[in-house]
Amino acid sequence: MMSHPGATASDRHKVVIIGSGFGGLTAAKHLKRADVDIKMIARTTHHLFQPLLYQVATGIISEGEIAPATRVILRNQKNAQVLLGDVTRIDLKTKTVRSELLGHTYVTPYDSLVIAAGAGQSYFGNDHFAEFAPGMKSIDDALELRGRILGAFEQAERSSDPARREKLLTFVVVGAGPTGVEMAGQIAELADHTLKGTFRHIDSTKARVILLDAAPAVLPPMGEKLGKKAQARLEKMGVDIQLNAMVTDVDRNGITVKDPDGTLRRIESACKVWSAGVSASPLGRDLANQSGVELDRAGRVKVLPDLSIPGNPNVFVVGDMAAVEGVPGMAQGAIQGGKYAAKAIVAGLKGADPSQREPFSYFDKGSMATVSKFSAVAKIGPLEFGGFIAWLAWLFLHLIYLVGFKTKIVTMLSWTVTFLGRNRGQLTITEQQAYARTRIEELEEIAASVQDTEKAAS
Amino acid sequence: MMSHPGATASDRHKVVIIGSGFGGLTAAKHLKRADVDIKMIARTTHHLFQPLLYQVATGIISEGEIAPATRVILRNQKNAQVLLGDVTRIDLKTKTVRSELLGHTYVTPYDSLVIAAGAGQSYFGNDHFAEFAPGMKSIDDALELRGRILGAFEQAERSSDPARREKLLTFVVVGAGPTGVEMAGQIAELADHTLKGTFRHIDSTKARVILLDAAPAVLPPMGEKLGKKAQARLEKMGVDIQLNAMVTDVDRNGITVKDPDGTLRRIESACKVWSAGVSASPLGRDLANQSGVELDRAGRVKVLPDLSIPGNPNVFVVGDMAAVEGVPGMAQGAIQGGKYAAKAIVAGLKGADPSQREPFSYFDKGSMATVSKFSAVAKIGPLEFGGFIAWLAWLFLHLIYLVGFKTKIVTMLSWTVTFLGRNRGQLTITEQQAYARTRIEELEEIAASVQDTEKAAS
């Protein structure tokens, strides 16, 4: 492993970073002054600020505000190159990473590797649910859901069939974690405020929002007190919270739920959101096969205390892909992991012995979730609080973490308009979303026989 | 035709408006105080401010800024209902409009009809060009092009093949009207400023932007003086302007052009934009078949002097769908036409004789096009001017016409950042755009044999 100041690109220590999320971007930034050659290979061209994804899905902010171009962020970090590509294989023996982009395959060698490929939605073995209940993990997901949520109201306005209208105006959010709570709250606010008075045939405020979870509590990691607080607030907003309710099936027209007593019941709903579980990037399996490292049930890599994997002290797994006792799958876990990996790489360049590394330790900065405008819950160390103060803290912190000065201002404006008024600036859906959603053609054929007349509908 | 104040919805005069563009929305707004029952049926849920579409395509502004939800705009106009649907047939005999939405068919009766369905891109009989060179008519088009433009740079950064890289970094805009001029200028600024320094393997400023037209001039409707001005400015920015160049073929990898001397030449280019011609909504054909009204070559309806069609004094065609001597296919033509139709309908309610209507007369408020930051050309009556003053006028007018106070501020901010700095806030593309564009799978197969290694590329 050669490295010395003033080395040329070709003999510099090669760092490959997989992923441009919190973990990957933080690792890259903390290598800014290191004499390394960084290649960040990511499946998207943007750095996604996932905690605000629900606001893109519900029309409050634009995708650009939470997904700035990674290469623009790293423009001035000359030792870093950003490469678009889907990493399909990591080869620990040849120390290379294989990625693909539109039919081209690229093989990139590394000396050090930071794997921060994140996690996708888990359907617990029922991947066919995904088509009917998209997850909330990417910009694609958020825009798809925006189209489905607003599209359901549009279809309901045109329908003369009360049962179909009810199905269209029933929104089910599966999973009462932070994302589920935020989605349920925002769909309710969209229906009750933003869309209120914009329809003539339906009353958007009559829409039903159901938040389901197989667990017995809302926001379980926040503890009972805050969970109950969030639950009470959501219920006051009209959200129907159904706990201990296990989803057994999801199809185009609704979901089937098993209650604790074993009875199955059906909820007719056109628009479903899945935020019930995560499944780490399949790259973890690659590592397990080659290094013998274990994976947990969610597919996360059970890394060593220094976030590396057995026999590969320069291969780090950080963020949602790593299973580390006491580290939650949140931005802070990824940020701190990315920073730790970068520092370990820099220490290695200076000759430090990997076996002497201090183990990674997570500093819990707390967690929070918004429930509705003016209301959030927050847990910071032993401190637990909810309501307006928590919401202000949430507002402040999220603004601080958004990348770019202009983005902060635009987002603040978007929030002002939405929270003080009721309007939302990003309710746009594409024609593709309105007419040609996944397998919608099939639906069209099924429905083609149904004839509605405007007369009957008005 | 019954109508009296206080009539119930069912016996009120029924106005159906097809389309939510400038013509349709203006007609609806000017019927606000009329005792009518308005149904606006549109293919999109938004009112599109088409003149700024190129800024969405090139990452300056978000789709929400130029495409607010129509039903939110008309929230307080209680006599208007907004309905999503694709109008597939107008039946003049039964006075009904048929529309479709996701397999459901709706039949809507009218007493008065305002047809403002606009125009799509025309490929002059070569509709297969569309796949390889999208038009610039809808939000879908703009987002698709954003993905293609930025995707081409991303692919070039990864390519080790100089010919392929050149193909990826050659952008061809077909059609030197306002949209073509604006697109060419903005792609050049994107490459020269926004993306400058963000790549390590390619130099984005070396990208080639070609603006092609079969006609001998840039911006022909603006006259020779302003056309030349715009041309000089674009050429100073490095845009390669090729006039008298007729496109004879477009495929995935480039275009074929016929020069005045009859020679055919090939331009290798991955990303093409088509802004060469318009083709009015096919609903015009429906009207021609039923009323005998003639269509012009672009499929526009040759309406009577009162914008109605023969034998149907209460059926108006306005905007890009109408062929009226001296009225250009621009926002102002549609706005004035929509207003005229609304007034004629109101007069009719008061008993006015349609045969006595004053003919529609167009007031030319002028036209303008931006070429680059700080530079535009404008023609207002006998006044022709270019440069910074024209650009300020353009800026001011477009801000005024944007819907919503917040939108004006956000857009002003976006412009400040882009025009004074170089950053753009909306460079986000979806994974679908990055990996699964139209027929891209086919391309993947073709290219699958090509193997690149990162080593060779860097």
Side-chain angles (χ1 to χ4, degrees):
Chain A
M1 198 196 315
M2 296 188 310
S3 171
H4 52 86
T8 63
S10 51
D11 58 357
R12 259 200 218 120
H13 185 88
K14 295 179 189 67
V15 179
V16 169
I17 298 172
I18 304 175
S20 60
F22 289 114
L25 189 64
T26 307
K29 285 185 161 178
H30 279 86
L31 289 167
K32 185 167 184 176
R33 284 187 194 82
D35 187 33
V36 294
D37 175 38
I38 304 167
K39 289 193 194 303
M40 173 184 282
I41 309 176
R43 215 173 55 193
T44 66
T45 59
H46 51 259
H47 165 64
L48 176 62
F49 190 78
Q50 233 180 32
L52 290 178
L53 205 50
Y54 75 96
Q55 295 204 354
V56 173
T58 55
I60 298 175
I61 58 178
S62 68
E63 59 273 29
E65 288 165 64
I66 61 162
T70 317
R71 64 174 67 262
V72 174
I73 300 174
L74 293 176
R75 185 201 305 262
N76 296 324
Q77 185 169 335
K78 296 299 176 196
N79 67 353
Q81 181 181 26
V82 177
L83 297 165
L84 177 64
D86 189 20
V87 173
T88 51
R89 180 161 163 75
I90 295 164
D91 191 326
L92 297 173
K93 219 159 128 190
T94 60
K95 295 180 116 189
T96 55
V97 166
R98 191 173 70 193
S99 58
E100 291 181 12
L101 177 60
L102 295 172
H104 291 257
T105 302
Y106 303 91
V107 177
T108 313
Y110 67 82
D111 296 316
S112 291
L113 179 62
V114 180
I115 310 171
Q121 214 75 57
S122 167
Y123 290 87
F124 310 114
N126 297 294
D127 286 354
H128 59 285
F129 290 1
E131 179 185 345
F132 311 115
M136 271 289 289
K137 285 289 174 191
S138 65
I139 289 291
D140 291 62
D141 288 340
L143 295 176
E144 171 67 23
L145 281 168
R146 187 197 282 175
R148 289 192 188 204
I149 294 165
L150 295 169
F153 284 102
E154 295 291 341
Q155 290 174 62
E157 175 77 351
R158 299 218 72 168
S159 178
S160 59
D161 173 356
R164 185 168 168 255
R165 230 160 40 220
E166 200 183 320
K167 181 182 81 178
L168 287 163
L169 293 178
T170 300
F171 299 86
V172 178
V173 179
V174 182
T179 303
V181 162
E182 282 158 343
M183 278 300 283
Q186 285 309 316
I187 297 172
E189 290 203 343
L190 191 63
D192 287 347
H193 302 288
T194 309
L195 296 180
K196 186 182 176 183
T198 67
F199 294 94
R200 303 291 174 251
H201 178 51
I202 59 165
D203 177 353
S204 69
T205 69
K206 295 268 159 60
R208 200 172 152 211
V209 181
I210 300 172
L211 179 62
L212 270 180
D213 207 302
V218 164
L219 293 176
M222 304 282 280
E224 204 189 325
K225 188 182 142 199
L226 291 181
K228 285 244 190 298
K229 213 164 195 150
Q231 181 171 351
R233 174 75 200 147
L234 282 171
E235 282 172 343
K236 209 178 148 197
M237 292 167 69
V239 174
D240 178 358
I241 297 181
Q242 302 183 3
L243 300 172
N244 299 304
M246 172 106 108
V247 174
T248 60
D249 198 21
V250 181
D251 59 38
R252 191 179 315 287
N253 294 307
I255 66 168
T256 307
V257 174
K258 192 160 107 185
D259 282 324
D261 63 1
T263 52
L264 293 175
R265 67 191 160 85
R266 172 90 183 155
I267 303 172
E268 295 289 314
S269 161
C271 180
K272 286 85 64 182
V273 184
W274 192 268
S275 61
V278 294
S279 166
S281 158
L283 288 173
R285 173 57 51 205
D286 229 21
L287 297 179
N289 292 341
Q290 293 174 58
S291 74
V293 72
E294 278 180 51
L295 304 181
D296 73 0
R297 282 183 57 200
R300 287 177 298 196
V301 180
K302 291 186 173 176
V303 289
L304 298 175
D306 66 350
L307 305 185
S308 73
I309 57 172
N312 294 270
N314 274 347
V315 175
F316 302 89
V317 185
V318 305
D320 285 356
M321 263 190 81
V324 186
E325 189 67 35
V327 182
M330 298 193 320
Q332 273 304 323
I335 290 171
Q336 294 178 30
K339 188 173 167 185
Y340 176 90
K343 288 194 163 179
I345 291 168
V346 170
L349 293 177
K350 293 177 182 156
D353 179 356
S355 69
Q356 302 301 314
R357 282 177 196 152
E358 286 280 326
F360 171 67
S361 78
Y362 175 68
F363 176 65
D364 184 4
K365 292 194 177 176
S367 57
M368 39 180 45
T370 32
V371 183
S372 66
K373 54 170 117 177
F374 310 138
S375 177
V377 289
K379 188 178 174 168
I380 301 172
L383 232 66
E384 295 188 350
F385 55 113
F388 188 62
I389 298 294
W391 186 78
L392 276 185
W394 171 90
L395 200 80
F396 180 72
L397 270 175
H398 282 75
L399 268 183
I400 292 288
Y401 274 101
L402 278 178
V403 172
F405 178 69
K406 183 214 140 193
T407 301
K408 288 184 214 287
I409 295 185
V410 169
T411 302
M412 213 156 60
L413 255 164
S414 302
W415 287 353
T416 308
V417 167
T418 302
F419 295 143
L420 295 187
R422 60 180 171 186
N423 283 332
R424 299 184 175 205
Q426 301 289 338
L427 297 174
T428 313
I429 68 177
T430 62
E431 286 175 55
Q432 198 201 353
Q433 289 177 321
Y435 297 97
R437 294 202 308 268
T438 329
R439 284 220 204 151
I440 216 72
E441 293 80 357
E442 218 177 281
L443 172 67
E444 287 185 19
E445 270 177 29
I446 298 166
S449 56
V450 184
Q451 294 273 331
D452 257 338
T453 70
E454 205 67 285
K455 247 182 192 157
S458 62
Chain B
M1 200 196 315
M2 296 188 310
S3 171
H4 51 86
T8 62
S10 51
D11 58 358
R12 260 199 216 118
H13 185 89
K14 296 180 190 64
V15 180
V16 169
I17 298 173
I18 304 175
S20 59
F22 289 114
L25 189 64
T26 307
K29 284 184 162 180
H30 279 86
L31 289 167
K32 185 167 184 176
R33 285 189 192 79
D35 187 35
V36 295
D37 174 39
I38 305 167
K39 288 193 195 302
M40 173 183 284
I41 309 176
R43 215 173 53 194
T44 66
T45 58
H46 51 259
H47 165 64
L48 176 61
F49 190 78
Q50 233 178 33
L52 289 177
L53 205 51
Y54 75 96
Q55 296 205 352
V56 173
T58 54
I60 298 175
I61 58 177
S62 68
E63 60 272 30
E65 287 165 64
I66 62 162
T70 316
R71 64 175 67 262
V72 173
I73 300 174
L74 293 175
R75 186 201 303 263
N76 297 323
Q77 186 169 334
K78 296 298 175 197
N79 68 353
Q81 180 181 26
V82 177
L83 297 165
L84 177 64
D86 189 21
V87 173
T88 50
R89 180 159 164 77
I90 295 164
D91 191 326
L92 297 173
K93 218 160 129 191
T94 61
K95 297 180 115 188
T96 55
V97 167
R98 192 173 68 192
S99 58
E100 289 179 13
L101 176 61
L102 294 172
H104 290 257
T105 302
Y106 302 91
V107 177
T108 312
Y110 67 82
D111 295 315
S112 291
L113 178 62
V114 180
I115 310 170
Q121 214 74 58
S122 167
Y123 290 86
F124 310 116
N126 297 294
D127 286 352
H128 59 287
F129 290 2
E131 181 186 342
F132 310 114
M136 272 289 288
K137 284 289 173 191
S138 65
I139 289 291
D140 291 62
D141 288 341
L143 294 177
E144 171 69 22
L145 281 168
R146 186 197 284 175
R148 290 192 187 205
I149 295 165
L150 294 169
F153 285 102
E154 295 290 341
Q155 290 174 62
E157 175 75 352
R158 299 218 71 170
S159 179
S160 58
D161 173 356
R164 185 166 169 254
R165 230 159 40 220
E166 200 183 320
K167 181 181 83 180
L168 286 163
L169 292 177
T170 300
F171 299 86
V172 178
V173 179
V174 181
T179 302
V181 162
E182 282 158 345
M183 277 300 283
Q186 284 310 316
I187 296 173
E189 292 205 341
L190 190 63
D192 288 346
H193 302 289
T194 308
L195 296 179
K196 185 182 177 181
T198 67
F199 295 93
R200 303 290 175 254
H201 179 51
I202 60 164
D203 178 353
S204 70
T205 68
K206 297 266 160 59
R208 201 171 151 212
V209 182
I210 300 171
L211 178 62
L212 271 180
D213 207 302
V218 165
L219 292 175
M222 306 281 281
E224 203 188 325
K225 187 182 145 202
L226 290 181
K228 285 244 188 298
K229 212 164 197 149
Q231 180 170 352
R233 173 76 200 144
L234 282 171
E235 282 171 344
K236 210 179 148 197
M237 293 167 67
V239 174
D240 177 359
I241 298 180
Q242 303 183 3
L243 300 172
N244 298 305
M246 172 107 106
V247 174
T248 60
D249 197 21
V250 181
D251 58 39
R252 191 180 314 288
N253 294 306
I255 66 168
T256 307
V257 175
K258 193 160 110 184
D259 283 324
D261 62 2
T263 53
L264 291 176
R265 65 189 161 87
R266 171 89 183 157
I267 303 173
E268 295 290 312
S269 161
C271 180
K272 287 83 67 182
V273 184
W274 192 269
S275 61
V278 292
S279 165
S281 159
L283 288 173
R285 172 57 51 205
D286 228 22
L287 297 178
N289 291 343
Q290 293 174 56
S291 74
V293 72
E294 277 180 54
L295 305 182
D296 73 1
R297 281 183 59 200
R300 288 178 297 197
V301 181
K302 293 186 170 175
V303 290
L304 298 175
D306 66 351
L307 306 184
S308 72
I309 57 172
N312 294 269
N314 274 348
V315 175
F316 303 89
V317 185
V318 305
D320 285 357
M321 264 191 79
V324 186
E325 189 68 33
V327 181
M330 297 193 320
Q332 274 303 323
I335 289 171
Q336 294 178 31
K339 187 174 168 184
Y340 176 91
K343 287 192 164 179
I345 291 168
V346 170
L349 293 176
K350 292 176 181 154
D353 180 356
S355 68
Q356 302 302 313
R357 282 178 195 152
E358 287 281 327
F360 170 68
S361 78
Y362 176 68
F363 175 67
D364 186 3
K365 292 193 175 176
S367 56
M368 39 180 46
T370 32
V371 183
S372 66
K373 55 171 118 175
F374 311 138
S375 178
V377 290
K379 189 177 174 168
I380 301 172
L383 231 65
E384 294 187 353
F385 55 113
F388 188 63
I389 298 294
W391 186 78
L392 276 184
W394 171 89
L395 200 80
F396 179 72
L397 271 175
H398 282 76
L399 268 183
I400 291 290
Y401 273 101
L402 277 179
V403 172
F405 178 68
K406 184 215 140 191
T407 301
K408 287 184 214 292
I409 295 186
V410 169
T411 302
M412 212 155 61
L413 254 164
S414 303
W415 287 353
T416 307
V417 167
T418 302
F419 295 143
L420 294 188
R422 59 180 171 185
N423 283 333
R424 299 185 175 203
Q426 301 289 337
L427 297 174
T428 313
I429 67 176
T430 62
E431 287 176 54
Q432 198 203 353
Q433 288 177 321
Y435 297 97
R437 297 201 307 269
T438 329
R439 283 216 206 156
I440 215 73
E441 293 79 359
E442 216 177 284
L443 173 65
E444 286 185 19
E445 269 177 28
I446 298 165
S449 56
V450 185
Q451 293 274 330
D452 256 339
T453 71
E454 206 67 282
K455 246 181 193 158
S458 63

